[in-house]
Amino acid sequence: MTSDMVVVRKEGLYCVPGQFYIDPWRPVERAVITHAHGDHARGGHRHYLAAAPGVGVLKSRLGDIHIDGLAYGETVVHNGVTISLHPAGHVLGSAQVRMAYRGEVWVASGDYKVEADSTCTPFEPVRCDTFITESTFGLPIYRWQPQEEVYADINDWWRANAEQGRASVMQCYSFGKAQRILSGLEPDIGPIVCHGAVQTLNTVYRDSGVWLPPTVMVGDVAKEDLKRALVIAPPSAAGSPWVKRFGDFSDAFASGWMQLRGARRRRGVDRGFVLSDHADWPGLMQAISATGAERVIVTHGSIAVLVRWLQQQGLQASGFDTEYGDDEADDAAAAPGVSDVAPAGAAGGAAARAADAGAAGAASRAADGATGSKPVAAGTAPVASAAAPGPDSGSAPGAGHA
């Protein structure tokens, strides 16, 4: 091709020869959706195409839509462009979009992570000429510890609270993060109570064949038993009348943003657990390398830092300006028909997101300064020591871990 296969229009990422959009943020005729988080899957499109495992959750979030499901690896041709969807390892039904046209291959990653977990199909590298990658955690300070260690920390925290007669309230994203945490819990410690926004999605996961431990709603548990419970709730429930039903509780927040110094304090929680459904810095490097792409286009996140780093490694790299954001924005509002999401918590969640974004911006500026101050040798990573996690992160990773 003499021109780019994918460009940015006011509606979103647009495949020019195929005449369709990828995760558009404004209503369009045809939309290929990478996954069901609210910043990527929006209502109002006439026709949707998504990976078959993600159709159920898309319908649960967007209502009555015209959608076709495509099995991973299956192909469909639209206006001469061969489209296939491949696992992204982000959440249930997440997919990378492969587009082949006249001998050229482009892949749009959507959101992804490379560490496999039991709640979704693992990430699959897809060879291509041009790779469009996210960069949510595209700074070298982000390096996740193995998820099994995080699960163990969460269970230890829950067990200690239960022994003291205190409920444990875990704030996390309703879609994806909540189910991933559930998959790592030890249900013998006590009852697992889920907020309505989480329980609705648990049903979708179970209907898709994903194993999750037994979960109940707060009204199904005796008051005395709540003192041993682990409660899974979206950030929007913080400070609400709903969460106050648990009395004297210990609370925590699970997110990759807990890697940032001061993140737990800004959230106002007792503990912070570093657990992300996005790739960390080594994961981004691994995924990009595995594609074999000579050209990389970076979207939402730390675009400038990652673009500069890739250019220093000899790749043709640039950025796309998009309207994708943080998965957490999904939790500022309830799932349709759910009554126990707390609007009062939404403002606090927005403030916390702004604070987290400010800290992330500071980390990005520090890393940007590190990469821009002098050439970086191939095989080394820029360092952002000013943003390294401090002791108030609330989690207990070892040195070098997120």
Side-chain angles (χ1 to χ4, degrees), residues 223-258:
K223 187 174 182 180
E224 189 63 25
D225 291 337
L226 289 178
K227 295 178 180 179
R228 298 183 298 107
L230 179 74
V231 182
I232 305 287
S236 56
S240 69
W242 181 86
V243 81
K244 292 178 182 177
R245 299 166 72 175
F246 300 101
D248 178 27
F249 60 83
S250 176
D251 55 3
F253 195 94
S255 171
W257 299 117
M258 290 295 106

Side-chain angles (χ1 to χ4, degrees), residues 5-340:
M5 191 186 304
V6 177
V7 298
V8 180
R9 289 187 172 181
K10 67 179 185 297
E11 297 86 356
L13 300 186
Y14 181 68
C15 177
V16 178
Q19 298 177 36
F20 60 83
Y21 288 85
I22 303 165
D23 294 348
W25 42 84
R26 295 181 185 174
V28 299
E29 178 72 18
R30 294 188 178 276
V32 181
I33 303 298
T34 63
H35 66 288
H37 276 139
D39 57 328
H40 290 259
R42 310 189 190 217
H45 311 314
R46 288 196 62 185
H47 301 277
Y48 293 77
L49 177 68
V55 169
V57 70
L58 279 164
K59 287 183 175 180
S60 77
R61 309 205 98 192
L62 298 179
D64 185 19
I65 56 175
H66 185 283
I67 185 169
D68 293 313
L70 197 64
Y72 287 131
E74 183 181 349
T75 61
V76 62
V77 179
H78 187 73
N79 290 334
V81 176
T82 301
I83 306 166
S84 57
L85 304 177
H86 303 264
H90 178 55
V91 292
L92 179 65
S94 59
Q96 304 169 80
V97 183
R98 182 185 186 273
M99 297 156 282
Y101 182 71
R102 295 183 178 177
E104 187 173 350
V105 176
W106 284 50
V107 170
S109 74
D111 290 338
Y112 64 92
K113 75 173 188 303
V114 298
E115 182 179 26
D117 76 81
S118 64
T119 65
C120 62
T121 307
F123 176 84
E124 173 188 296
V126 183
R127 303 287 292 185
C128 58
D129 301 299
T130 299
F131 185 50
I132 303 173
T133 179
E134 65 137 317
S135 62
T136 303
F137 291 100
L139 296 174
I141 63 166
Y142 295 115
R143 298 170 187 267
W144 312 145
Q145 68 184 119
Q147 62 190 352
E148 294 301 329
E149 296 179 10
V150 181
Y151 295 158
D153 287 345
I154 292 173
N155 284 312
D156 289 346
W157 167 72
W158 176 20
R159 185 180 296 104
N161 290 331
E163 290 173 353
Q164 297 173 21
R166 302 177 73 197
S168 303
V169 177
M170 174 66 76
Q171 298 178 35
C172 59
Y173 312 152
S174 298
F175 171 41
K177 183 68 61 60
Q179 292 73 35
R180 188 177 173 198
I181 289 174
L182 285 169
S183 73
L185 295 179
E186 297 177 11
D188 292 342
I189 298 174
I192 303 172
V193 178
C194 285
H195 187 279
V198 176
Q199 191 77 324
T200 297
L201 288 159
N202 291 347
T203 299
V204 176
Y205 268 70
R206 291 184 176 112
D207 289 345
S208 299
V210 175
W211 179 87
L212 298 174
T215 56
V216 295
M217 300 282 280
V218 63
D220 300 327
V221 183
K223 187 174 182 180
E224 189 63 25
D225 291 337
L226 289 178
K227 295 178 180 179
R228 298 183 298 107
L230 179 74
V231 182
I232 305 287
S236 56
S240 69
W242 181 86
V243 81
K244 292 178 182 177
R245 299 166 72 175
F246 300 101
D248 178 27
F249 60 83
S250 176
D251 55 3
F253 195 94
S255 171
W257 299 117
M258 290 295 106
Q259 174 72 69
L260 290 171
R261 176 184 295 142
R264 178 190 62 80
R265 183 180 65 253
R266 285 188 297 276
R267 284 284 174 185
V269 294
D270 300 327
R271 288 291 302 269
F273 295 99
V274 182
L275 186 69
S276 178
D277 295 329
H278 295 263
D280 60 0
W281 177 267
L284 290 168
M285 299 301 104
Q286 176 185 335
I288 293 169
S289 176
T291 68
E294 295 183 356
R295 182 183 181 191
V296 180
I297 300 174
V298 182
T299 67
H300 57 301
S302 302
I303 297 176
V305 174
L306 186 53
V307 165
R308 180 177 289 110
W309 171 249
L310 294 172
Q311 290 173 342
Q312 290 168 343
Q313 308 314 303
L315 294 175
Q316 182 183 354
S318 58
F320 270 165
D321 185 17
T322 70
E323 294 187 15
Y324 307 134
D326 187 351
D327 309 335
E328 186 180 334
D330 277 1
D331 290 308
V338 175
S339 61
D340 54 359

